[in-house]
Amino acid sequence: MFVHLQGPYSFLFGRLTLASIPYDNAIIQFAFGFAAIAAILVVAPVLYYRKIPYLFREWLTTVDHKKIGVMYIILGLVMMFRGFFDGLMIRTQQVMADGPHSAGHLEAAHGYLPPAHFDQIYSSHGTIMIIFAATPILTGLGNIIVPLQIGARDMAFPTLNAISLWLTTVGAALVMASLFIGDFSTAGWVGLIPLTELDFSPSSGVDYWMWAIQISSVGTTLNAINVIATIVAMRAPGMRWTRLPIFTWTTLSTSIIGLTAFPILGVALALLGADRYLGTHFYTAGLGGNLMLYTNLFWIWGHPEVYFLVLPAFGIISEVIPAFSEKPLFGYVTMVAATFAIAGISWVVWLHHFFTMGAGPLVNSFFSVATMVVGIPTGVKVFNWLFTLYRGRLTFATPMLWAVGALFLLLIGGLTGMMLAIPAVNYTVHNSVFVIAHFHCMVLLIVYAAFAAVSFWWPKVFGFKLDETTGKLFFWSFSIGTILLFTAMFGLGFMGETRRLDYLYNTQWFPALVIEEIGVGFYSLSVLIFFAMLFVSIRDRVKNAASADPWGTSRTLEWLTHSPVPFYNFAVTPHVNSRDELSWRYLNNLAATAPEHFEEIHMPNNTPVPLIIGALAFGFGFGLTWRIWWMTGFSLLGIIAVVIYRSFARDKGYHLSAEVMTQLEREPPLGVIAESQYLSKHPLTGAGAH
Amino acid sequence: MTLGTIGADEKVVLWQYGEVAHDMISTKTLGFWLYMLSDALVFAGLFAAYGVLDHSMNAANGPTEAQIVHPIAAFWQTLAVLTSVFAYSVATVAVKHGYRQLVVLCVLAAILLGMVFLGLEFSDFADLYAHGATPQVSGFLSAYFILIATHGLHMAFGILWLLVMAIQVSRLGLTAPVVAQLLNLRLFWQFQAAIWVCVYVFVYLKGVI
C-alpha cells in the first residue's frame, strides 16, 4: 500500500540512519552549538532555582488564556529569531555570490552555501516567518487581549486553547528538528509542485515541511473555533456588538478566515501526502495529475492567510492610535465594515499569485479587479486612522511609533500591491524580487503592529512598562534596516533580479546588494537592542511598575483590571456602558470605583492533557516524516485514547470563595498571575494566611 | 452610544454581581457547528479536486468514471447511512423524554447500520482493487478513492464516537455534558449523511449520465 522507497529502512527507526544527521556540516555545527548554548542558558536557571515543578504546574499544564497567549508569543519570537537568522544567511550568501569571480568558501562554488543548503534556508525562512512567527504572535495577542476586552473570565474552551498552543509548538519543533536530523524542504515555503513530489524530493525534507504545517494548522483551526465561540458567547453584560473593541472585531474576522481557509490547506497538503506516501497522482507531472490543482488549493488558503495575519495588525493599530491621540477612533462602523469587506474579498483574489498560469484574459481580469477592490476598504481604514490622528493630542510613545511606522509600510506595500494587481505589470515582474519587497512591506507591517502590541500591552500582562529609551532605539534601528533593505530590493526587482537565487550572475547588482546587507546589519543590531530592552526593562521593573492603566489614556475594558492581570481577570464582571468603557468611566469620574463586595467565582483546573496530546502529536509527525510506522500508530492511538479518557473524566473546576476574593483584591495582585494553581490547592483561609 | 456624560438622576450599573450565566451546552454546540464548518471546507476542497480530476485526460488511459461507479450498489449504502441517521434521530427523541435504555439501543442500531455502510464500501473497494483499479493508476482514481475514503474515515470515527457515547449514556446517565456530546454527535452523524448524498449525486449519479 505504501510507496516503496530506495535506501536503507529498519522497523525501529524507519528511514532514519546515522547518515541522516549532518554532523559534518560546519554551518550545522555552528547552528547546533548556538542552539545548545541558548538551551543551556534557558534550562540552567530553571534547574538551579528548582523551578521545574513551578514551570509544569503553572505554565506547561495551564489553561489560563493569558499564559497560553504569552507562550504563543514567546514561541513566535523564538521562531522569528530563527527566521531572522535564515534571512541574514540568505542576504549574506547573495552579497558574497555575485558574479563569476566571487569567491567560494566551505563547500560552495560561490559564497558559502551550496545550492541545496541555500534552498532549504529560504524555504524555512518563509515557512517559519509566516506560520511559526507571525501566526503564533498574533494568535497569542488575541488569546491574551480578546477575553479581557470583552470582560470574560477565560476562553470558551480553555483546554482546547492549550491543545491549540501545543499543536502549534509541535509544528515549530518539527521545523527545528529538521535542522539537526535530516534536512528541510528545498521547494520554497509554498511547496513548488512537482518539486515536492517524491521523484524530485525523495528525502525527508518535504515531509518535515508538510507535517509541521499540517499539525500546526490543526491547532490554528481549533484556536479559530475557540475565539469565535468566545466572542459570540462570553461577552460581559452590556458588551453589545456595537460596543465591541476594534481589536476584538478584527480577531473575530481573522478567526472566521482561519476557520474557513486552513481546512483547504489541510486538503492541499493531505493530497500531497497521499502522493508521497500512497503513490497517488493528484499533482504528479504524469498519469493524470494536475500541477495547478495544488497551486490553486494552496493559494485558496494562502491569500486568506495573508489577511488572517494583517487584519489583527489593523486591529492593533486601531487600538494604539486612539490611545495615543486621546481621541475616540474615527469611523468605528466603517472600520468594522472595512474589516469584514477585506475578509470577504480575501476569498476571491487567490489567483493573483499566479497570473502567469495563463488562465486567459477573463479569469485574470476578474482576479485583477477583485484584487484592486481590496484597496477600497483598506483606504477607508487608512483615512480613519489619519482622521483619528488629526487634531489629536499626540504622544509618540514606543507603541505609537510602531503603529505610525506600520502606516508607512502599508502605504508602500499597498501601492506596490496595486501595481502587481495589474496582470500586464505582473507578467513583467513575476517571481522577481520586486514581489519579494512588496510582500515584505506587508508582513513587516504586521511585525510593526506586533511590536506595537507587545510594547502597548506588556504592562498589562507583566505589571511593568518596557523601557522607552531602548524601545525607541529598537524601533529606529529596525526601521533604518527596513528602509535600506527593501528600497534596494525594489530597485533590484526592476533591474531584473529573480527570487531564490543562490548565485547572482549580474555584477551591476552588487552596490544594491551591499545596501541590502547594510540593512540586514541594522536588523542584527536591532536584535541586540531588543535583548538589551528586555534586560533593562526587567532590571528596572520596580521603577517602571504599572498601574491599571499605565498609559493614562487607554480606552477599552482590559485596562480596567489590575496590572498584571490576576488569573481570574476581573474579580467582578464589569457591566459595559459604552464603546470605550474606560474612557467613559474616566469622563464620569467612575474609573476608580471598585466593586462594593466580592462573590464566589468558578475557575477551570489546569490539566496535563494538552501537553500529552502535544507530545503524541510530535511523535505522530516525526514518525510520519521518517516513516517509523510503530511510532505513528502508537501516537495516533494515544491521542484518541487520551481524548476518550478526557471525555469520561470531566473537569469540574474549583471555586474561590468571596473571602478569598476579597483578600486577593486587597493584596497587591503582583505575583498572583503566576500562582493560580497553588491557590487552588491551598486556598487562602483566614486573615493571617498568605 | 459612544462617549457621553451621565445625567444627574441617571442610574448606572458598573459591575455585574452574581454568576454571569453562559449556557455551556449552547456554547459547545456553537463551537461544534464551527468545527463542522471547517469539516465542510475539507470536503469542499476534496470535491473541488475531484471536479478537476474527473476528466478523461486525468484517467490516463485507465478506467473512467462511468466504468467504475455502480449507482444501484451504492444506493444500498445510501439506505444504510440514512437509516443509521434515522436511528440516531430516534435516540435524540429518547434523550428528550429521558428513556436511557432506548437511547443506548438506538445508538447501537446506528452503529450497526454505520458498519453495514462501511462493509458495503469496503467490498466496493475490494472489487475495484481486484479489477486493478487502484488509486495509484491515475489522477482520476486517486481523487475517487481519497474522496470516498475520507468520508469513510469520518464514518469510522463517528462509529467510534457512537460507541463511546453508548458507554457514557449507560454508565454516566443523561447528564448535561453527555447530552451536549450527544447533540454534537447528532450534528456530526447527520453531516456525514449529507456528505454521502453529495458523493452519491456528484460521483455515482453523475458518473452514469
Side-chain angles (χ1 to χ4, degrees):
Chain A
M1 183 174 170
F2 292 112
V3 174
H4 177 72
L5 281 168
Q6 308 255 308
Y9 183 87
S10 65
F11 175 77
L12 205 54
F13 296 109
R15 297 178 75 198
L16 186 60
T17 58
L18 209 57
S20 316
I21 298 166
Y23 48 81
D24 51 348
N25 185 316
I27 295 164
I28 301 291
Q29 284 167 357
F30 171 76
F32 184 77
F34 191 87
I37 292 168
I40 289 167
L41 283 178
V42 172
V43 172
V46 172
L47 287 175
Y48 181 78
Y49 292 108
R50 297 172 200 280
K51 285 289 186 188
I52 285 181
Y54 162 79
L55 208 60
F56 185 78
R57 193 184 62 221
E58 295 293 340
W59 290 88
L60 300 181
T61 60
T62 191
V63 293
D64 181 342
H65 70 96
K66 299 172 291 295
K67 286 182 188 163
I68 289 173
V70 168
M71 286 191 280
Y72 259 121
I73 294 173
I74 291 173
L75 172 74
L77 287 174
V78 169
M79 293 310 283
M80 190 187 266
F81 186 60
R82 156 88 202 269
F84 152 76
F85 249 94
D86 289 336
L88 177 65
M89 289 174 79
I90 294 169
R91 291 268 54 81
T92 310
Q93 166 70 13
Q94 287 201 337
V95 80
M96 284 170 73
D98 186 27
H101 303 297
S102 53
H105 308 277
L106 300 175
E107 294 159 39
H110 298 277
Y112 69 104
L113 290 169
H117 197 166
F118 182 80
D119 295 354
Q120 289 180 46
I121 289 169
Y122 69 63
S123 303
S124 65
H125 175 74
T127 308
I128 286 173
M129 286 304 203
I130 297 281
I131 293 174
F132 299 110
T135 303
I137 291 176
L138 293 171
T139 312
L141 284 167
N143 246 299
I144 297 172
I145 302 305
V146 165
L148 291 171
Q149 277 195 334
I150 61 171
R153 193 141 281 152
D154 207 319
M155 298 283 266
F157 314 114
T159 311
L160 189 70
N161 199 18
I163 292 174
S164 305
L165 166 74
W166 291 114
L167 290 181
T168 307
T169 311
V170 164
L174 280 173
V175 174
M176 292 309 286
S178 77
L179 190 56
F180 308 121
I181 307 167
D183 55 357
F184 195 67
S185 169
T186 55
W189 82 277
V190 299
L192 295 164
I193 201 80
L195 188 53
T196 43
E197 288 286 345
L198 206 55
D199 293 342
F200 310 106
S201 297
S203 76
S204 62
V206 172
D207 300 328
Y208 266 126
W209 168 81
M210 193 167 71
W211 295 115
I213 296 179
Q214 190 75 289
I215 291 171
S216 77
S217 74
V218 172
T220 310
T221 312
L222 294 178
N223 182 265
I225 292 172
N226 213 337
V227 169
I228 298 173
T230 305
I231 295 173
V232 171
M234 309 288 280
R235 281 168 293 142
M239 178 59 82
R240 302 184 202 134
W241 288 104
T242 47
R243 289 176 178 167
L244 216 56
I246 292 288
F247 181 70
T248 303
W249 268 119
T250 54
T251 311
L252 178 67
S253 68
T254 221
S255 298
I256 294 170
I257 294 177
L259 179 62
T260 46
F262 274 89
I264 304 291
L265 175 68
V267 171
L269 293 178
L271 299 187
L272 177 64
D275 277 4
R276 287 182 63 87
Y277 287 78
L278 306 176
T280 55
H281 295 284
F282 284 101
Y283 311 133
T284 51
L287 284 174
N290 189 325
L291 306 181
M292 290 320 289
L293 175 62
Y294 172 81
T295 314
N296 274 285
L297 284 176
F298 183 87
W299 285 111
I300 288 175
W301 161 79
H303 198 85
E305 159 73 10
V306 181
Y307 293 172
F308 173 86
L309 296 175
V310 88
L311 284 173
F314 289 165
I316 292 161
I317 298 169
S318 306
E319 296 288 340
V320 170
I321 285 181
F324 293 99
S325 304
E326 302 189 31
K327 275 173 69 187
L329 182 73
F330 184 91
Y332 171 91
V333 176
T334 54
M335 205 59 134
V336 175
T339 302
F340 278 83
I342 294 174
I345 301 169
S346 79
W347 273 100
V348 289
V349 296
W350 80 85
L351 193 127
H352 71 212
H353 293 270
F354 45 96
F355 276 135
T356 51
M357 175 173 81
L362 221 72
V363 172
N364 278 1
S365 304
F366 173 83
F367 283 95
S368 167
V369 172
T371 306
M372 290 184 204
V373 167
V374 181
I376 296 168
T378 314
V380 168
K381 278 175 173 280
V382 172
F383 281 108
N384 280 345
W385 291 321
L386 293 183
F387 285 126
T388 308
L389 288 165
Y390 180 63
R391 291 199 165 177
R393 202 178 294 129
L394 305 185
T395 321
F396 282 94
T398 317
M400 184 66 158
L401 284 179
W402 287 112
V404 173
L407 291 190
F408 281 97
L409 284 167
L410 175 61
L411 187 68
I412 300 166
L415 290 179
T416 48
M418 286 297 119
M419 292 167 70
L420 289 166
I422 304 165
V425 177
N426 198 298
Y427 266 68
T428 317
V429 291
H430 184 76
N431 264 354
S432 76
V433 292
F434 181 80
V435 179
I436 313 299
H438 152 69
F439 75 66
H440 275 81
C441 282
M442 297 312 280
V443 289
L444 276 164
L445 170 173
I446 296 158
V447 173
Y448 271 57
F451 283 134
V454 167
S455 50
F456 185 53
W457 278 302
W458 179 281
K460 188 81 258 172
V461 176
F462 293 108
F464 60 93
K465 274 180 156 182
L466 283 173
D467 184 59
E468 280 285 299
T469 315
T470 42
K472 284 178 178 163
L473 208 57
F474 175 45
F475 168 79
W476 286 112
S477 167
F478 197 92
S479 296
I480 292 169
T482 305
I483 292 164
L484 287 176
L485 179 42
F486 293 104
T487 310
M489 196 181 280
F490 275 123
L492 280 170
F494 283 132
M495 290 158 81
E497 188 198 335
T498 47
R499 65 193 296 192
R500 299 180 178 131
L501 293 181
D502 64 293
Y503 164 71
L504 287 77
Y505 50 85
N506 192 336
T507 46
Q508 288 189 333
W509 295 339
F510 190 68
L513 289 170
V514 172
I515 295 173
E516 286 189 335
E517 189 68 14
I518 297 171
V520 98
F522 273 96
Y523 274 148
S524 313
L525 183 68
S526 62
V527 170
L528 296 178
I529 299 172
F530 178 79
F531 285 115
M533 175 180 79
L534 286 186
F535 175 76
V536 173
S537 306
I538 293 170
R539 190 192 63 194
D540 297 345
R541 63 188 179 280
V542 180
K543 196 178 82 189
N544 293 331
S547 59
D549 174 17
W551 305 106
T553 54
S554 307
R555 314 190 67 83
T556 39
L557 205 55
E558 74 269 30
W559 303 100
L560 197 61
T561 186
H562 310 283
S563 303
V565 186
F567 61 90
Y568 46 80
N569 291 0
F570 297 92
V572 177
T573 305
H575 189 101
V576 181
N577 297 282
S578 169
R579 187 177 287 159
D580 290 339
E581 178 69 13
L582 186 65
S583 300
W584 179 83
R585 291 194 185 197
Y586 275 136
L587 199 67
N588 293 296
N589 293 320
L590 295 165
T593 313
E596 296 98 43
H597 67 281
F598 299 100
E599 291 171 344
E600 185 181 75
I601 63 166
H602 176 250
M603 297 294 297
N605 274 320
N606 286 359
T607 164
V609 164
L611 189 65
I612 295 168
I613 290 179
L616 290 168
F618 183 84
F620 180 72
F622 193 80
L624 277 168
T625 300
W626 291 104
R627 295 165 205 243
I628 312 170
W629 304 122
W630 63 264
M631 188 190 272
T632 309
F634 173 81
S635 303
L636 190 61
L637 290 178
I639 291 171
I640 293 170
V642 169
V643 170
I644 291 176
Y645 167 77
R646 171 83 182 166
S647 80
F648 277 91
R650 279 175 199 289
D651 173 39
K652 300 235 173 14
Y654 65 97
H655 288 88
L656 291 170
S657 68
E659 296 80 59
V660 173
M661 289 307 295
T662 314
Q663 201 177 343
L664 280 172
E665 284 289 296
R666 208 187 307 125
E667 300 273 337
L670 222 79
V672 169
I673 178 179
E675 293 288 342
S676 65
Q677 285 308 295
Y678 176 78
L679 211 67
S680 74
K681 301 285 182 297
H682 314 271
L684 301 170
T685 45
H690 180 242
Chain B
M1 187 57 250
T2 51
L3 289 181
T5 43
I6 311 164
D9 50 348
E10 214 175 322
K11 179 133 176 53
V12 292
V13 185
L14 292 181
W15 307 101
Q16 189 75 28
Y17 295 101
E19 197 69 14
V20 181
H22 298 298
D23 180 357
M24 265 337 276
I25 288 191
S26 76
T27 309
K28 282 191 171 159
T29 307
L30 169 66
F32 200 77
W33 269 99
L34 293 170
Y35 161 73
M36 288 322 299
L37 177 61
S38 77
D39 209 27
L41 263 299
V42 167
F43 279 109
L46 287 170
F47 273 112
Y50 184 80
V52 168
L53 297 175
D54 173 22
H55 194 277
S56 56
M57 180 177 76
N58 301 98
N61 297 326
T64 57
E65 196 179 33
Q67 289 169 308
I68 60 163
V69 293
H70 306 293
I72 309 286
F75 181 68
W76 296 111
Q77 276 179 274
T78 313
L79 274 188
V81 72
L82 290 181
T83 45
S84 177
V85 165
F86 179 73
Y88 194 83
S89 303
V90 176
T92 49
V93 174
V95 170
K96 208 170 176 179
H97 294 92
Y99 301 145
R100 200 162 140 187
Q101 301 301 326
L102 187 60
V103 174
V104 177
L105 201 69
C106 290
V107 169
L108 290 176
I111 292 173
L112 195 70
L113 288 160
M115 286 168 89
V116 168
F117 172 88
L118 281 184
L120 288 170
E121 187 163 300
F122 183 80
S123 74
D124 184 30
F125 277 11
D127 189 44
L128 286 172
Y129 263 79
H131 287 85
T134 64
Q136 291 82 12
V137 169
S138 71
F140 162 66
L141 279 176
S142 303
Y144 173 86
F145 273 99
I146 294 291
L147 171 63
I148 292 173
T150 306
H151 176 262
L153 273 178
H154 277 78
M155 291 293 288
F157 178 74
I159 287 171
L160 179 66
W161 192 0
L162 284 163
L163 203 62
V164 169
M165 289 322 293
I167 297 168
Q168 288 208 352
V169 170
S170 55
R171 279 191 54 185
L172 306 175
L174 296 170
T175 60
V178 171
V179 171
Q181 291 267 352
L182 284 171
L183 293 177
N184 288 344
L185 179 54
R186 176 179 66 173
L187 191 57
F188 183 84
W189 203 234
Q190 296 195 345
F191 179 78
Q192 300 317 324
I195 290 294
W196 176 258
V197 170
C198 292
V199 170
Y200 190 70
V201 172
F202 290 112
V203 177
Y204 290 89
L205 288 185
K206 193 179 122 317
V208 288
I209 53 171

